[in-house]
Amino acid sequence: MKSENGLKTAADLNDKDEPIYQALMSAIVEHQLPPGSKLPEEALSEVFGVSRTGIRKVLQRLAAVQMVTLMPRRGAQVATPGVDEAQDIFRTRALIECANLPFVLEHCQPPHLAALEKLARQEQQAHEQHNGPAAIRLSAAFHIQLQAISGNQVLTEMVSRLTQRSSLVIAAWGAPWQQGCRCNDHDRLIAMLREKALQPLTDTMQQHFANIVASLHFERSGETLPDFARLFGLPGSAQ
């Protein structure tokens, strides 16, 4: 849509930015752009075929949700959560997701369980196929869908944002083989849901997050400059 004077509206500009935003967000969440990766405006502008101003707006949006760090005179890079922040993210997730479990149980029906079981199977297959991006995506989807059962849209949106930041933590501090959550933990959560056992369900969820934090190794490698053309499909980039 354009305004009466023929200029593009803010909605038009946001629509144009959205695919770029989602592409960068997915690449970050799925560990294709690891923490510390530089995100130069010029290189991204060339790959996506938009102006540097457009790329700058997308990077500002990602910074607003703490997925990117903007540094004066040094440009943008994928955010690297510090040790305290990493622990706080999972501590916050444990508080929120466990507190919502009574409402999840209250609304949980057989179709919900079937949907969670399907996600857990797909996640297991992704692990077996060594498909890291899919495993990460499905792990996050499991937690989001679990909390969505309660019908609390605000909380579900919060969990969705926190799963994105959790992925950054795992990318920054996890072992090289670590992709998403442990599938057997998700299977146990489904079993507790089926039994409508609140305390065991809560205990299992708390232990699930404790297991993730215990698996983190607080060491960090240096910055990198990824191959944006390969990641985002610049025509003619394939070798």
Side-chain angles (χ1 to χ4, degrees), residues 1-9 12:
M1 179 183 295
K2 294 185 179 180
S3 62
E4 292 180 359
N5 59 14
L7 298 176
K8 289 186 177 181
T9 64
D12 292 323

Side-chain angles (χ1 to χ4, degrees), residues 6 20 37 89 103 111 161 163 184 210 224 231-232 237:
I20 302 173
S37 296
I89 286 170
F103 305 100
R161 292 297 187 194
T163 61
N184 55 341
T224 58
L231 280 176
F232 302 115
S237 62

Side-chain angles (χ1 to χ4, degrees), residues 184-218:
N184 55 341
D185 283 358
H186 288 172
D187 289 337
R188 283 195 289 271
L189 288 169
I190 293 171
M192 297 299 100
L193 275 171
R194 190 179 301 281
E195 294 175 12
K196 293 189 177 296
L198 177 58
Q199 192 57 54
L201 176 63
T202 302
D203 292 343
T204 300
M205 182 71 85
Q206 290 174 335
Q207 187 60 50
H208 177 51
F209 287 120
N211 290 340
I212 296 172
V213 173
S215 72
L216 300 176
H217 302 279
F218 295 110

Side-chain angles (χ1 to χ4, degrees), residues 73-147:
R73 296 182 296 279
R74 292 187 59 191
Q77 67 180 42
V78 177
T80 303
V83 174
D84 289 342
E85 181 183 357
Q87 294 172 335
D88 286 346
I89 286 170
F90 281 106
R91 186 178 296 115
T92 301
R93 284 192 62 184
L95 287 170
I96 292 175
E97 295 186 42
C98 289
N100 197 44
L101 289 177
F103 305 100
V104 170
L105 280 179
E106 181 182 341
H107 292 86
C108 189
Q109 298 296 324
H112 295 130
L113 292 170
L116 290 173
E117 288 173 338
K118 181 178 179 180
L119 281 172
R121 286 195 303 270
Q122 291 173 334
E123 184 185 359
Q124 180 62 47
Q125 291 172 356
H127 280 286
E128 292 171 356
Q129 296 167 0
H130 304 288
N131 187 342
I136 295 165
R137 183 172 61 253
L138 291 162
S139 175
F142 179 92
H143 280 267
I144 295 167
Q145 192 154 316
L146 171 62
Q147 297 301 322

